[in-house]
């Protein structure tokens, strides 16, 4: 008997990815899909402009879409709602007793809401106890460009302390949703601006890498500077990082810290956990979006090109799949760890 | 009566760009083309795999290709030779009395060779007097990714002093020559490594921004850290810079410094000089390769997105056309200023 | 003193192309721009999402946008209106005495409206006399994928007679307008369907190649079968044609017919007329969109790969610029020939 | 105990695909890899420029590359050799008693060599008996652009008879091998010519669809006209076909013929056999390379857009994965059916 789950914003691009990734999940089974008034009442297959490469799972295709009201026959809902509506709807669901696993940005900085990467800060789940939602709760995952970076920084932060981070991104088109970026705007081109993206990258890692102090998070305290670009790549965010550490460390020490990094999802052997959260590549032209984005189910972060920096201590390149590890897959891993830790009253 | 010029490496990608840009030049006229033994003796149109979008100029198409020996019927030669052979051939031509305007990297750091961007360091042309080539000489232009950055830094360096520069590039495919990057390697992908590119970006600006001190250059002294990426864009290098200045300056002061920047090529109204070397764009999503690369004949640098940086003082984005301003066009401008300054004995 | 003209649908993609192509036109000068209620009242520069590669012409940028009502201070209007509104608005303008040069499909098959390619059927302009619009009239140009094909067929039709045509297209993204095709739908992909495109290609050439018979057109009578695909190319429609002729002809005769083809625009030396409407390329890998689309101001058709066909008589490849020759440029040429023939009472 | 197999041309693009597809094959296990003198003696991982998206299988990575001489410790060899050398080497291996499963074109039209698509003409395997190679033999698969077309034609040929076929292709880049097409030649472009491709498409289906008549093949007898284009798509050949049938048939009858089509590989449930060789899509914008190329392990052909044609009887669009069904996967299926039919003396 699988655990029934619902999808909020089921017809959107994140919603579709949730459905694709949950199609053969060993624990969860989608029994309800909710979307806007416009789609409600239709069969999912008729309402959705499905653009995943795998076909719509048959069990979902025939579900009738519901409105986003807290009357779904399940306990856990995954939210891929647009930020323009996610805030209120997610609150309503939590109040009504649902466990809301959200990919939206609205509640990420609520003091009592974990901004969760299970390998990094699963102890932050304790914040849920502060939430005033009774049986319900809200747990969020970070922005797609934050997750890869923060996973790469975590082992360095633990071992050596981080003093400063500069990052320039080359981000994939799927991060903009659908229809997203017009082909006339991006073929043979770069867009050197992504609305709201830099502030997220400069703030979210500080909460995630912060320490749980009683019933609140003490944010990490180092400056991050981000420059974000959209490039003609379908999936996979590549990021060029520069980092200054608090303690001196050799390149080999950094690589060891990454290779040996492992978290609770690995120990618990969660279904969507990558075997290894971080892979380091010795070849000087890796990682590349096309070659590494799907590594370990699209849930691993690939790092390469570690070298000394004349300004910071080190510079390197990271890559992660923005719609799997960076969105729907990351959210599912959040739900998995909560189930395993028995934080959900099923 | 135009000045006859020759092209070394005439069938390569830089050679072709020289020929395209010189096809209707008001001062220069190509009367000789030289390439490897394999092509020598053939008509240019038969030997070249021409891939410029404009057709081969008729006057060049019928020229018979010569070998790269210093027996060309001209005084000025433009060199688009591959670095594997450029060093010796250019030296031979200089010794034989030719003015060698080179796009190759081999002689860029010879102490007596100007590494020239005419708007930036035309005074460095005085170095030629140190050269031991009699009537001949060698003048080089910087690497394609260096030129845009150095033009953008020059007004800041003069007005405020530069203390440190971090740069991450998103470079176009034409920078790799022809055939260059395989389509299977770059469509839907990024290559996070370009051989030898980062060391050039970290060293060349220091010579260019250095001061002429008697008969030598005192290099500028600030650290530069570069990370270089190849992306699926045909032409136009985009660069994300971060800069710390020696003196405090407001964003408006930086923008003014850029907008008011002008150099000798502008005063002399040289044929290939842009009206304005630097354009600043207020829109938050500019510059873009497709929209600004051809600005002012492809010879201008476009800058945008100036904003404060939590680590450096400021960050911003620059764009320049890598095969025009960054290679053949830059070299032609070098020749133009030398002619105008009567440094060539015609 | 230039002739003042207005643009209907001035903020759309065809409208922008009209403005770009007319920016330095020797005869015409834009003095009014009209668009939807939403844009009316704003300065053009503030209302438009300009995405041409050349900047907005200064004289147009400051024009205040008007509504599409027939109160513009000019005699000639170019219409780039969307088909959903073009029909009625164009009729109103014609009734009010305007010469409407339309790129929209609505009136193309009105019996008294010329469907005009000036090199092909300028005699069809006589149809205007049948129009009941007083001083005003409507003249249309064909669909972007029709123009290149029909220009290529015209010399064959005249010399040998056409019995049947099969055509498969590889069409550029700019043909879909802006924002048009989502990047997620077309990078690394083909869309094997373009709404309404095949019926246009199968019918429009028959009117254009038809004969003026008194006050009406006798349509040409041969079957055309079209299959249309959208591919990841920015500009330039490539088409693979197969043709059966009524009379036997050698490949050389076909090539001669193309090379010697010329029309009234060439004789009249109209500003936007290509020197030669058709270029034939001997190289077996031409024409290519990137290399030939801008040939002769983007107004020429390029043909290549003529060879015998085991089913039809011959097969070959054609290329034309879909937004210049195939849309705005074609419409402007229509206006030019009407002015030159004194069909417009200025 | 798996059957040991060898790969000829193991470092090339087809060789790599063989290795990728065989990495977890239930019957076959690669125990030897052979390539040119240049690579021989090196470990596979050191000699190959691996560009598949999955990593090199560990068991293959450490194999020492051998020369292409018939001294490999296996009975079956898969040949991905370049056509410039494949002819002789494959003959030598066959003479030495090897079963050569070749993807190369050299022996395709040898009268005693089956040109095999197992769903279409498995009876042609009887030709092997005519071969003079003792225990050894040569079996070939068709060109990548032929396979999809021929699978689509087979059910029509059987049910209604084919009178004529016109085909225009939009072919993926991986069909050109590695490095293959330069990115500068194909981004924002089409190459309307692929060397030797059209003759293959016009001849190979006639052998494949021919009838076994005693010890030889009577070729099918209908004209095929092909026009081949290379487009900026990584994998998946899309083809626009037009067909005239010998007997009248309704569109529904054609669709039924495709949907009900099945062959020996399906009956035998071969490991790489698609469940269904042909899928028909009702949506008017399918099939698309990105959405359907990997359907049923990349071994199925997708068809869509069937509609009447004003010249032929019908036109439609097909898609197949060019390096899986169209090359390495097709060859492996050939080996599978031979094993199952006990045609190989293991």
């Amino acid at each position: 008997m699988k655990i029934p789950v619902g999808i909020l914003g089921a017809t959107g691009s994140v919603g579709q990815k949730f459905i694709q990734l949950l199609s053969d999940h060993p624990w969860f089974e989608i029994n309800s899909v909710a979307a806007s008034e416009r789609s409600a009442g239709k069969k999912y297959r008729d309402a959705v402009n499905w653009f995943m490469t795998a076909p719509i799972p048959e069990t979902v295709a025939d579900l009738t879409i519901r409105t986003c009201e807290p009357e779904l026959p399940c306990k856990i809902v995954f939210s891929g709602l647009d930020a323009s509506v996610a805030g209120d709807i997610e609150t309503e669901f939590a109040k009504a007793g649902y466990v809301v696993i959200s990919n939206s940005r609205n509640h990420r900085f609520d003091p009592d809401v974990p901004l969760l990467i299970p390998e990094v800060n699963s102890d932050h789940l304790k914040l849920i106890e502060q939430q005033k939602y009774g049986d319900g709760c809200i747990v969020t995952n970070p922005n797609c460009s934050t997750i890869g970076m923060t996973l790469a920084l975590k082992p360095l932060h633990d071992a050596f302390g981080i003093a400063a981070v500069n990052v320039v991104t080359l981000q994939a088109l799927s991060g903009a949703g659908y229809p997203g970026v017009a082909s006339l705007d991006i073929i043979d081109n770069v867009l050197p601006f992504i609305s709201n993206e830099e502030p997220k990258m400069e703030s979210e890692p500080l909460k995630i890498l912060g320490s749980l102090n009683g019933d609140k998070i003490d944010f990490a305290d180092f400056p991050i500077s981000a420059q974000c670009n959209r490039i003609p790549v379908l999936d996979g965010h590549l990021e060029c990082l520069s980092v200054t550490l608090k303690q001196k460390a050799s390149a080999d020490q950094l690589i060891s810290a990454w290779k040996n990094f492992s978290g609770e999802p690995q120990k618990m052997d969660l279904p969507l956990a990558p075997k290894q959260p971080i892979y380091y590549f010795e070849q000087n032209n890796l990682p590349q979006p096309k070659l590494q984005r799907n590594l370990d189910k699209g849930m691993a972060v690939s790092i390469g090109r570690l070298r000394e920096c004349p300004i910071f201590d080190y510079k390197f390149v990271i890559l992660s799949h923005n719609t799997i590890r960076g969105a729907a897959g990351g959210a599912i891993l959040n739900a998995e760890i909560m189930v395993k830790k028995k934080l959900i009253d099923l």
Side-chain angles (χ1 to χ4, degrees), chain A:
Chain A
M1 279 294 292
K2 293 188 180 177
I3 302 166
V5 300
I7 311 292
L8 305 180
T11 56
S13 62
V14 177
Q16 291 186 30
K17 202 74 188 179
F18 273 128
I19 290 169
Q20 184 188 27
L21 292 178
L22 289 169
S23 70
D24 58 354
H25 195 278
W27 299 355
F28 301 131
E29 186 168 46
I30 298 170
N31 77 343
S32 44
V33 289
S36 67
E37 297 280 345
R38 193 164 38 78
S39 299
K42 296 182 188 163
K43 297 240 167 198
Y44 186 75
R45 73 164 81 244
D46 299 327
V48 72
N49 175 21
W50 183 260
F51 65 97
M52 302 287 109
T53 54
I56 310 180
E58 280 305 311
T59 50
V60 173
D62 288 324
L63 292 176
T64 300
I65 297 179
R66 298 162 183 254
T67 55
C68 289
E69 284 163 287
E71 297 170 1
L72 305 186
C74 56
K75 176 76 184 181
I76 300 173
V77 293
F78 291 97
S79 165
L81 290 166
D82 188 80
S84 60
V85 297
D88 290 348
I89 294 176
E90 291 174 5
T91 303
E92 279 171 48
F93 270 83
K95 282 186 181 165
Y98 289 85
V99 171
V100 180
I101 308 292
S102 171
N103 182 61
S104 300
R105 71 163 188 262
N106 308 59
H107 293 286
R108 285 181 191 155
F109 282 91
D110 291 1
D112 55 6
V113 169
L115 182 53
L116 188 64
I117 303 176
E119 285 92 342
V120 173
N121 63 336
S122 60
D123 58 324
H124 290 197
L125 280 167
K126 206 165 153 37
L127 287 182
I128 299 172
E129 297 169 12
Q130 309 300 320
Q131 294 185 15
K132 305 281 156 50
Y133 299 132
D135 236 29
C137 68
I138 299 175
V139 170
T140 61
N141 59 271
N143 184 47
C144 56
S145 57
T146 302
I147 295 185
M149 169 169 69
T150 310
L151 270 163
L153 292 176
K154 170 67 173 171
L156 309 187
H157 191 56
D158 286 354
F160 318 112
I162 290 176
V165 172
N166 193 75
V167 59
V168 177
T169 69
L170 293 80
Q171 295 184 227
L173 296 162
S174 56
Y178 184 85
V181 182
S183 55
L184 288 173
D185 281 339
I186 198 68
I187 289 181
D188 189 19
N189 205 16
V190 177
L191 300 178
F193 176 70
I194 301 175
S195 185
N196 283 319
E197 196 78 0
E198 295 171 356
K200 289 180 200 163
M201 292 194 76
E202 296 181 353
S203 60
E204 292 181 358
L206 303 178
K207 178 170 182 179
I208 302 164
L209 295 173
S211 321
L212 184 69
N213 181 355
D215 56 5
K216 64 177 185 50
I217 304 297
D218 290 342
F219 280 34
D221 184 22
F222 55 85
I224 303 174
S225 177
Q227 301 196 58
C228 295
N229 301 284
R230 188 77 70 192
I231 61 164
V233 161
L234 293 168
D235 290 308
H237 288 352
L238 192 123
E239 303 179 2
C240 293
L241 273 87
S242 311
V243 65
T244 300
L245 303 172
K246 289 186 176 158
Q247 295 172 31
K248 285 281 159 217
S250 69
D252 283 348
Q253 285 177 301
L254 270 71
I255 293 173
S256 287
W258 285 323
K259 287 189 170 172
N260 296 326
F261 178 65
S262 188
E264 285 207 88
Q266 284 69 42
K267 290 186 198 96
M268 294 173 167
D269 199 20
L270 298 178
L272 215 57
K275 282 183 207 133
Q276 213 177 303
I278 297 173
Y279 289 77
Y280 185 81
F281 290 84
E282 299 288 344
Q283 300 93 316
N284 65 9
N285 63 348
L286 298 182
Q288 296 175 20
K290 208 173 62 157
L291 299 185
Q292 274 80 40
R293 61 190 168 202
N294 290 316
L295 187 64
D296 219 338
K297 295 165 287 190
M299 289 296 287
V301 175
S302 298
I303 307 184
R305 298 209 69 215
L306 180 70
R307 54 219 193 278
E308 294 193 2
C309 175
I311 296 179
F312 297 82
D313 289 347
Y314 286 100
K315 47 189 175 182
F316 53 93
V317 173
I318 71 168
L319 175 86
S320 62
H321 196 298
N322 54 302
T323 66
I324 301 179
R325 172 50 97 161
I332 294 170
L333 193 64
N334 286 355
E336 290 175 355
I337 197 168
M338 291 177 72
V339 167
K340 192 74 172 188
K341 281 172 171 282
K342 301 190 190 301
L343 297 173
I344 302 177
D345 192 15
L346 292 165

